[in-house]
Amino acid sequence: MQKFLKFDKKSNLIFIESYDEVRQCLFIIKKNLVLGNEVIVVVSSNNDLYRFITELNNKVFEKKIRLLFWSFPRNGKCNGGFGKKSFKHIQAIISEKRLLKKFYHNNLSNIVDAKVYFFTRYCNPYDYYFLKKLFKRNYLMLINVVDFKKYIYRYYPKNIWDIWRYCRLKFIYGAGMSLIQLPHGVYGYMPDGFIRRAVKKEIKVKEGERWLEGFSLDEFKVFNTQNFKIIYFDQPLVPKRVEKKEFKSKLNTIFHIILKYFKESDLGIKHHPEWKSDKSLFSVGNEIEDFIPAEFLYDINVKVYISFCSGAIVRIKKGIVISLLDLMAFRNEREKVELKERLIQRANSRILFPQTMADFENILKNI
């Protein structure tokens, strides 16, 4: 019989895979380290996020966090016929399930009577695999950081590759997994039955935000970031949402207008962590390291924050915030409308949506 480890100190296990979850994660870490409790953080499949928390563990938390990283294998292209490709995919599926089992056994199987935090039911099937094994001997808490309920649609496989993906999801992570359609893609989804059965406490988005009132990120700002007057937060749009030629043409015009009113040294370019854009599309500005969260760049010296649809602009409370969505032609215009609705719904301050390049220039001109 396996011997489970019961910690003398209260143990806290945090699963994190998105930058949207950083503030809640840091809040939980700090609160428990102050109390002298044990903190274990599992970063799932996000190298930039892992680097960020590693830096904080070294510079702020004095290496008191037990930090773990899980990454699923990324399959390369397989040449050959249908039979050979199918065989390679089956090998990859078996390998991934074995790696999940090994990671759990080596790192998490001895945890009992711990508080286990996770922040979303979307896009994280690997966490579901671990949570299923942990919930009977631990206290699971779901702290929602985004609310996509209005935009969730049950997704049913439409072709052979959808069916393959659906079966793969269930075989590796659990039979309860389903597929959902969100504005930004199709993802795995934790089942309602598991949430009702396993989660002891669920925190809604607004309640979680109230927890953070008075919580400052200042002590965690230990990175070298240049002072900028204007920051552009990139969001990968090419080629899935926008044609490359369209994006490059509009982006060049936008930066040309910016440089009429700001020096190039005043312009910071922040690319999306983990999901990278084609950086060759950017010919001006100063690149900010990808792994640094957007919140660490908010500053009274920044006059303007610009993006198309990055979540970075919804949390800004001071400064001029501009979304360029209405200046760009999308492959699917309905998707653009939904993205705009989400930005407005989540925004902490007014977001300006210029309808033409002249509108955009007038905003900058009047600052």
Side-chain angles (χ1 to χ4, degrees):
M1 182 178 293
Q2 185 175 7
K3 183 178 179 181
F4 287 86
L5 177 61
K6 189 167 184 176
F7 297 103
D8 293 331
K9 298 178 180 179
K10 291 182 180 179
S11 185
N12 298 267
L13 173 61
I14 305 168
F15 288 95
I16 179 171
E17 56 275 314
S18 165
Y19 275 77
D20 283 327
E21 303 159 6
V22 161
R23 292 182 304 148
Q24 287 286 1
C25 181
L26 295 181
F27 174 78
I28 295 165
I29 291 171
K30 181 179 177 181
K31 177 182 175 181
N32 281 283
L33 289 183
V34 167
L35 293 172
N37 295 332
E38 171 139 9
V39 177
I40 306 164
V41 176
V42 179
V43 180
S44 298
S45 192
N46 190 322
N47 291 283
D48 284 319
L49 185 57
Y50 179 70
R51 179 182 172 188
F52 165 68
I53 297 179
T54 299
E55 293 275 345
L56 288 187
N57 196 25
N58 293 334
K59 296 177 180 179
V60 179
F61 296 126
E62 300 175 341
K63 299 185 179 179
K64 292 178 181 177
I65 302 172
R66 181 185 168 203
L67 186 57
L68 305 170
F69 181 70
W70 158 257
S71 178
F72 58 89
R74 300 182 184 275
N75 298 330
K77 289 185 179 180
C78 175
N79 299 320
F82 178 80
K84 185 176 180 181
K85 287 181 179 179
S86 298
F87 178 70
K88 287 290 186 182
H89 280 299
I90 290 169
Q91 280 187 317
I93 288 170
I94 294 171
S95 173
E96 184 170 340
K97 191 154 188 175
R98 284 175 176 168
L99 288 172
L100 276 165
K101 184 177 181 180
K102 182 178 179 181
F103 182 90
Y104 174 78
H105 177 78
N106 290 344
N107 299 289
L108 306 176
S109 62
N110 62 350
I111 295 176
V112 65
D113 290 343
K115 273 193 175 180
V116 180
Y117 302 88
F118 66 110
F119 303 102
T120 182
R121 297 171 61 180
Y122 323 110
C123 318
N124 58 345
Y126 20 88
D127 288 356
Y128 175 58
Y129 176 92
F130 301 132
L131 293 169
K132 279 192 310 170
K133 294 178 176 296
L134 290 164
F135 85 91
K136 290 183 179 179
R137 291 182 169 85
N138 297 282
Y139 184 99
L140 266 60
M141 183 180 294
L142 168 57
I143 303 174
N144 292 281
V145 294
V146 292
D147 186 0
F148 286 134
K149 286 182 181 178
K150 179 180 176 182
Y151 304 99
I152 290 177
Y153 303 95
R154 184 71 180 265
Y155 184 85
Y156 296 96
K158 298 175 181 177
N159 53 52
I160 187 66
W161 294 113
D162 278 355
I163 293 170
W164 176 267
R165 180 181 178 183
Y166 187 61
C167 293
R168 178 183 180 276
L169 192 74
K170 287 180 172 288
F171 176 79
I172 297 176
Y173 305 112
M177 290 295 297
S178 61
L179 290 172
I180 57 168
Q181 175 78 57
L182 290 171
H184 46 293
V186 176
Y187 298 97
Y189 186 64
M190 291 188 193
D192 293 337
F194 174 76
I195 299 299
R196 288 193 298 267
R197 183 174 73 255
V199 174
K200 302 299 183 185
K201 189 171 184 179
E202 181 173 358
I203 305 298
K204 303 299 183 185
V205 174
K206 289 185 178 179
E207 184 181 351
E209 287 295 323
R210 286 196 293 271
W211 282 10
L212 298 177
E213 290 178 1
F215 177 65
S216 174
L217 293 175
D218 288 348
E219 68 178 291
F220 306 109
K221 294 181 178 180
V222 292
F223 307 100
N224 293 322
T225 56
Q226 185 178 333
N227 289 323
F228 297 107
K229 291 183 179 178
I230 184 166
I231 298 179
Y232 169 82
F233 294 106
D234 188 54
Q235 186 78 1
L237 297 177
V238 176
K240 189 175 180 181
R241 290 174 171 166
V242 176
E243 291 184 5
K244 184 175 181 179
K245 185 177 180 181
E246 158 80 359
F247 184 81
K248 184 173 179 60
S249 173
K250 293 286 178 64
L251 199 67
N252 285 342
T253 303
I254 287 162
F255 284 145
H256 175 73
I257 293 170
I258 288 172
L259 294 181
K260 284 185 181 181
Y261 303 96
F262 294 88
K263 295 183 293 184
E264 185 173 358
S265 59
D266 291 331
L267 171 62
I269 308 293
K270 173 68 170 64
H271 292 282
H272 192 289
E274 196 65 16
W275 296 342
K276 312 296 185 185
S277 295
D278 180 355
K279 294 185 179 181
S280 68
L281 296 171
F282 299 82
S283 57
V284 298
N286 303 274
E287 190 173 324
I288 302 167
E289 288 196 277
D290 298 351
F291 79 92
I292 300 174
E295 292 94 332
F296 285 54
L297 304 173
Y298 304 159
D299 190 89
I300 58 172
N301 294 316
V302 180
K303 304 297 183 185
V304 189
Y305 301 92
I306 297 175
S307 183
F308 284 94
C309 54
S310 171
I313 63 174
V314 304
R315 292 185 287 274
I316 298 166
K317 295 181 179 180
K318 295 181 180 180
I320 294 172
V321 183
I322 302 173
S323 168
L324 305 168
L325 269 179
D326 289 335
L327 301 180
M328 189 68 71
F330 270 51
R331 295 180 186 275
N332 183 338
E333 286 298 307
R334 179 186 169 186
E335 183 180 12
K336 182 166 79 172
V337 170
E338 290 179 342
L339 289 168
K340 185 174 179 178
E341 285 180 0
R342 278 174 46 214
L343 287 177
I344 295 170
Q345 180 187 30
R346 297 177 61 199
N348 278 285
S349 62
R350 183 188 177 202
I351 299 177
L352 303 178
F353 292 90
Q355 300 300 299
T356 65
M357 290 294 179
D359 290 343
F360 174 64
E361 183 164 1
N362 283 332
I363 295 171
L364 299 187
K365 188 187 299 182
N366 293 323
I367 295 173

